[in-house]
Amino acid sequence: MLTQVSFAHLAAASAFSLLCAFAYYVVQLTRHELRIKKIGGVRAPRLTSNPLRAAWWFLDTAKALMRNEMLEQYNSFYDAATPECPDLVEIQIFPRERYLFTRNPEHIKAVLAGQFSDFGKGPRFHDLWRPFLGDSIFTTDGQLWHDSRSLIRPMFVKDRVSDLATFEKWTSKILTKLPPSGETVDIMDLLYRMTLDVTTDFLLGASVDSLSNPQSEFAKAFNDVQRIQMMLTSVGPFEVFVPRRRYNDGIRVIDQFIMPYIEQALALPQEELEKLSNSDKHFTFLHSIARYTRNRQVLRDQIIAVLLAGRDTTAATLSWAFYELSHYPDKFKKLRDEIISSVGRTRTPTYKDLKDMPYLRHTLNETLRLYPAVPYNLRGALEDTTLPSTPGNPPISVVKGDIVFYSTLAMQRRKDLYPPVSEKFEDPALFSPERWENWTPKPWQYVPFNGGPRICVGQNFAMTEMAYCIVRILQKYDRLEYRGDWYAQQHEAEVVGKPSQGVKIGLYEECVKVVGNPEPLGI
């Protein structure tokens, strides 16, 4: 009898709890709906309004990420779009968990510039990324963000970037790591290791020397953390189910590498730091920011953030450039001819040399058009606001706390944003540096470095490093072959988008006839 009563009470209590939970869900959803109307706009087309199907949708997206099919997945979202709202959709799984997805330049303009104060990284992004990037320039808003940018900017002024000694040091080393002429090499692996060396040298004054140590524990940890961080971000509210052991272990390895350099910098008295600032030779990014703060956590967070931006974006873009050039011998030759006519086969290029090579600049621009380094990004609504709609239609309401995902990759590959195909303008799906000779993108349709107040502070550094690396490699090699199935390559979307299969190529050294010697000599 007691058992029966207890079971009956338990069943009743469970049913009552479920009823209360359902009532709470409905009330909160209704309140959210009323706020959308109060803002003065409407909802975007929904991917689904069923919470269970929404949960399955996030699982599908995680699977697409692991299969390197994220772009196809992202573009498929717009199958649910309407003519009135063709490039913005939304999904809502819980009353306060609403996500909007866009590939519209006007929306990107709004969140990055036009309505800058309404959008930011937001508290959810900050909490999710804090173990990795802390309170750095990439995770904060308001005064914290402004302070971070002020700390970082002085090391990226033109006078600093135009000093090419660090680039020369490490590009010279990568040339020694390339195999004999014609042998296969994964150039992406070497480029990632080189840019890690460049960036740690620039930041800390001492490199991890990844080019000499391909099994670097630090490099492996950094890669692991990024991959898991992207998964945590892509699964939305279900990030709690993603295992974090390797993630936490990786962050410990990163910190163990970084912190001794921070202690060394903090051991220097303020007057010594000021003296170093007037002597470029030994002055590093860490010295620069240590002049303004003695907070170890602040120093650590900013270094990791710049390391992420400086290493991966540059290495991925260079990898895509060599991947594309390997498929177009005529474009490779045109680029090399410009380099040789500008700086010859051995002379070290100057900053001005790099800026005076238009086809080199067009090659990098075209690579970034097809493969923007950060293909997917987000902003959280810091206030109730709206996003613009098509002419004659009401705006889309965005409630404080909603998350807006935007994809520069998806936007920059929209054919409808480009001129018609012609002799002067190839299919926008194809790699064609020549298109930049007669075409300039419309505002906000080409944003590889973001835009607005948060535009990448290190873009000139990145473009200079990439141009320098290409020049030095092409000075030595006059032919490039892709080794493998060029069409099987996929876009792997971690924090930065990179070639999923590496870039396996053969590089052939130029052979020239020397007067009085009938045999060709490799140079």
Side-chain angles (χ1 to χ4, degrees):
M1 179 72 175
L2 182 61
T3 303
Q4 290 177 336
V5 171
S6 298
F7 179 77
H9 286 169
L10 183 62
S14 298
F16 181 72
S17 297
L18 286 172
L19 184 63
C20 287
F22 178 73
Y24 177 81
Y25 179 89
V26 171
V27 168
Q28 292 299 319
L29 194 63
T30 302
R31 290 180 65 186
H32 197 272
E33 196 70 40
L34 289 173
R35 284 183 72 180
I36 287 174
K37 292 179 180 177
K38 185 179 179 181
I39 291 168
V42 297
R43 280 187 177 272
R46 297 195 203 189
L47 290 164
T48 178
S49 56
N50 182 320
L52 294 178
R53 288 185 65 189
W56 188 259
W57 177 92
F58 277 105
L59 178 61
D60 269 353
T61 299
K63 288 179 179 177
L65 182 66
M66 291 186 289
R67 293 193 304 263
N68 300 321
E69 296 174 353
M70 193 62 188
L71 178 60
E72 293 82 359
Q73 176 80 355
Y74 196 90
N75 282 330
S76 74
F77 298 169
Y78 302 98
D79 293 344
T82 63
E84 294 75 27
C85 189
D87 294 296
L88 177 69
V89 292
E90 68 169 82
I91 192 168
Q92 186 161 359
I93 187 165
F94 302 124
R96 297 182 183 180
E97 292 275 355
R98 181 178 178 227
Y99 301 86
L100 298 98
F101 301 88
T102 184
R103 57 182 181 182
N104 187 316
E106 290 302 314
H107 297 155
I108 294 174
K109 175 184 176 182
V111 300
L112 296 183
Q115 296 161 234
F116 178 76
S117 61
D118 292 345
F119 293 96
K121 294 296 185 175
R124 275 191 285 178
F125 181 90
H126 175 265
D127 292 345
L128 187 61
W129 284 69
R130 189 172 189 178
F132 182 26
L133 298 183
D135 294 329
S136 68
I137 190 171
F138 296 132
T139 60
T140 52
D141 298 306
Q143 192 61 43
L144 271 177
W145 165 76
H146 186 272
D147 292 346
S148 292
R149 195 171 176 89
S150 298
L151 277 177
I152 289 170
R153 187 187 294 113
M155 283 300 286
F156 291 101
V157 296
K158 180 185 173 184
D159 289 347
R160 296 280 183 192
V161 174
S162 60
D163 180 1
L164 307 178
T166 301
F167 300 150
E168 173 60 22
K169 174 182 176 181
W170 295 106
T171 51
S172 294
K173 187 156 188 174
I174 198 176
L175 288 171
T176 69
K177 299 299 179 181
L178 291 169
S181 181
E183 290 191 12
T184 301
V185 62
D186 183 357
I187 191 84
M188 186 177 91
D189 174 61
L190 287 176
L191 290 167
Y192 265 80
R193 286 155 56 191
M194 183 201 76
T195 55
L196 179 59
D197 290 342
V198 169
T199 310
T200 49
D201 196 354
F202 173 75
L203 292 175
L204 308 171
S207 170
V208 68
D209 200 9
S210 181
L211 278 171
S212 297
N213 179 22
Q215 303 304 316
S216 164
E217 185 184 19
F218 175 82
K220 183 180 182 305
F222 206 73
N223 292 338
D224 286 345
V225 170
Q226 284 188 75
R227 185 178 64 255
I228 298 167
Q229 189 72 68
M230 185 62 183
M231 179 60 72
L232 291 170
T233 307
S234 68
V235 297
F238 302 102
E239 48 87 10
V240 293
F241 299 110
V242 177
R244 282 174 164 81
R245 184 177 64 82
R246 183 175 290 183
Y247 177 77
N248 293 327
D249 288 347
I251 288 173
R252 275 192 291 273
V253 170
I254 292 168
D255 288 348
Q256 286 167 7
F257 175 79
I258 295 292
M259 293 311 293
Y261 294 101
I262 291 175
E263 295 301 332
Q264 288 176 23
L266 291 178
L268 294 173
Q270 189 70 28
E271 56 269 23
E272 185 68 23
L273 286 171
E274 294 297 337
K275 191 184 298 182
L276 274 173
S277 71
N278 297 319
S279 168
D280 289 346
K281 188 174 180 183
H282 301 292
F283 190 64
T284 68
F285 177 87
L286 176 55
H287 291 139
S288 175
I289 58 177
R291 289 187 301 162
Y292 300 102
T293 178
R294 314 298 282 179
N295 186 309
R296 288 168 174 78
Q297 190 65 38
V298 170
L299 295 173
R300 178 263 180 209
D301 294 347
Q302 303 301 345
I303 287 169
I304 298 298
V306 177
L307 179 57
L308 171 63
R311 178 246 190 170
D312 291 72
T313 56
T314 306
T317 303
L318 282 169
S319 298
W320 286 118
F322 279 100
Y323 165 73
E324 288 288 353
L325 287 167
S326 71
H327 193 61
Y328 299 98
D330 57 327
K331 300 183 192 305
F332 180 88
K333 182 180 184 303
K334 184 174 180 179
L335 176 58
R336 186 172 190 268
D337 287 347
E338 178 181 76
I339 290 168
I340 298 304
S341 67
S342 297
V343 295
R345 290 171 171 81
T346 58
R347 181 166 73 78
T348 302
T350 65
Y351 183 77
K352 184 176 185 303
D353 289 330
L354 299 176
K355 295 300 179 184
D356 288 345
M357 293 189 226
Y359 196 74
L360 174 61
R361 184 171 63 253
H362 295 161
T363 297
L364 288 171
N365 286 343
E366 182 69 353
T367 304
L368 287 165
R369 184 188 68 82
L370 282 172
Y371 308 101
V374 182
Y376 306 97
N377 213 325
L378 64 84
R379 291 291 185 268
L382 305 179
E383 306 288 346
D384 288 352
T385 185
T386 61
L387 287 174
S389 190
T390 51
N393 290 294
I396 304 300
S397 292
V398 182
V399 177
K400 181 179 178 179
D402 288 350
I403 303 296
V404 179
F405 281 89
Y406 63 94
S407 172
T408 52
L409 177 65
M411 180 194 71
Q412 290 178 189
R413 294 198 178 197
R414 280 179 51 189
K415 288 191 175 184
D416 60 303
L417 296 179
Y418 292 94
V421 174
S422 66
E423 287 186 7
K424 292 186 177 181
F425 196 90
E426 280 201 79
D427 185 335
L430 300 178
F431 178 77
S432 176
E434 288 77 8
R435 77 175 80 249
W436 293 82
E437 294 167 6
N438 302 289
W439 168 77
T440 301
K442 293 180 180 178
W444 296 99
Q445 293 183 10
Y446 174 74
V447 283
F449 294 101
N450 265 334
R454 294 186 87 130
I455 193 168
C456 175
V457 71
Q459 62 176 299
N460 192 29
F461 181 92
M463 292 295 281
T464 304
E465 180 183 357
M466 291 188 292
Y468 196 93
C469 181
I470 288 174
V471 167
R472 294 304 266 164
I473 291 175
L474 268 64
Q475 281 179 303
K476 183 174 182 180
Y477 298 97
D478 72 341
R479 191 156 63 88
L480 174 64
E481 275 183 6
Y482 192 75
R483 301 288 167 81
D485 184 353
W486 193 83
Y487 294 98
Q489 189 67 265
Q490 290 181 295
H491 185 277
E492 183 176 334
E494 294 182 351
V495 179
V496 171
K498 65 181 183 181
S500 65
Q501 299 181 12
V503 180
K504 297 178 178 64
I505 58 172
L507 286 162
Y508 291 85
E509 291 188 53
E510 181 183 33
C511 290
V512 295
K513 293 268 187 177
V514 178
V515 175
N517 188 340
E519 297 299 321
L521 297 175
I523 62 170

